[in-house]
Amino acid sequence: MWFLLSRKAQLAIVAIAILVTIKATEGAYLWFTDNPGTFLQRLSVTLFIVGSVLTLSAEVFWFRLARIVPALQRFTFPDLNGSWNGHLHSTWVNPETGQ
């Protein structure tokens, strides 16, 4: 679903989410400690929150939605869970024997 958006829209969404989360983190620091914290402290907490939310949403919502609507997997990434059988064919040639 994410890849159906243009690159410009993706970057705008991420930038807005990070800016909003930075301000929210600053507000939380002020609320709990009466100290806004340094920029790097707010940035690290922000990146942790954004990463956690994206991971949680992928685990909880995306994979369930992709099972319900399999056509989404063709546009984004396939579900490769399960058992797979395959054959390996090497093209390596031993320089000593030529085999």
Side-chain angles (χ1 to χ4, degrees):
M1 188 72 97
W2 178 253
F3 295 107
L4 297 177
L5 298 172
S6 68
R7 178 68 67 182
K8 190 174 181 178
Q10 291 176 359
L11 290 175
I13 290 169
V14 169
I16 290 169
I18 288 174
L19 290 174
V20 167
T21 311
I22 285 174
K23 292 309 279 182
T25 305
E26 183 178 3
Y29 267 100
L30 283 171
W31 179 270
F32 291 112
T33 65
D34 293 329
N35 179 5
T38 66
F39 176 75
L40 289 178
Q41 287 173 330
R42 292 191 315 264
L43 182 64
S44 66
V45 171
T46 300
L47 293 177
F48 172 76
I49 291 169
V50 170
S52 298
V53 167
L54 290 176
T55 302
L56 181 65
S57 65
E59 287 295 323
V60 173
F61 301 112
W62 176 252
F63 293 119
R64 289 181 183 170
L65 181 63
R67 280 189 219 113
I68 294 170
V69 185
L72 291 175
Q73 293 180 8
R74 286 181 290 180
F75 296 112
T76 57
F77 52 90
D79 182 10
L80 298 177
N81 292 322
S83 298
W84 291 83
N85 293 323
H87 300 283
L88 293 176
H89 298 283
S90 175
T91 58
W92 180 75
V93 178
N94 188 343
E96 294 176 0
T97 63
Q99 296 180 343

